[in-house]
Amino acid sequence: MSNIRDGDLYRTIKIENITFEIRYGYYEEYERGRSEPVPIYPNLLANPEYTGDGTPIVTAMQEPCRHFDGCDRELGCYGCRHFQECEDLIGLCRLESNRQKTD
């Protein structure tokens, strides 16, 4: 049994002006008590974040958008040619049409 507990800090990731604290926890309540906590990545579909130039920040495992261009959608954004990995499963969507307009 490890010493990792729910809520412990896994790591801090900074992409441009956005900082993500990745903490241990459970994606589903039924997992609590049945398995060890895992790093919980942000839900960037529900709560989008963008770099200063409007580039979407995405997780490798999130559901890909309708512009997915790859061999296997089951891989999530990681399987898309527009995904650029930055650090530990968090990256950027380099598809120009997904970029947020900035003034």
Side-chain angles (χ1 to χ4, degrees):
M1 192 101 178
S2 71
N3 293 329
I4 298 170
R5 291 191 276 184
D6 190 10
D8 285 353
L9 182 65
Y10 169 65
R11 70 183 303 178
T12 301
I13 297 172
K14 186 168 184 169
I15 298 177
E16 282 195 18
N17 57 334
I18 308 289
T19 301
F20 300 96
E21 280 192 354
I22 310 298
R23 296 193 173 271
Y24 286 96
Y26 302 92
Y27 283 102
E28 302 291 339
E29 192 59 38
Y30 73 84
E31 296 170 332
R32 197 174 299 279
R34 293 181 179 197
S35 61
E36 296 286 321
V38 297
I40 302 296
Y41 289 83
N43 182 340
L44 295 171
L45 285 176
N47 303 300
E49 295 282 356
Y50 300 88
T51 64
D53 70 356
T55 301
I57 300 172
V58 298
T59 60
M61 64 284 225
Q62 79 183 42
E63 181 72 26
C65 73
R66 63 186 176 94
H67 304 291
F68 177 82
D69 185 2
C71 295
D72 187 357
R73 285 185 71 85
E74 295 297 314
L75 294 174
C77 285
Y78 181 77
C80 182
R81 72 179 187 90
H82 302 294
F83 178 75
Q84 177 190 341
E85 189 167 9
C86 291
E87 189 175 343
D88 194 29
L89 301 178
I90 295 183
L92 303 173
C93 175
R94 290 296 186 184
L95 182 63
E96 187 63 34
S97 64
N98 281 346
R99 184 173 288 190
Q100 184 182 53
K101 305 292 185 247
T102 58
D103 294 328

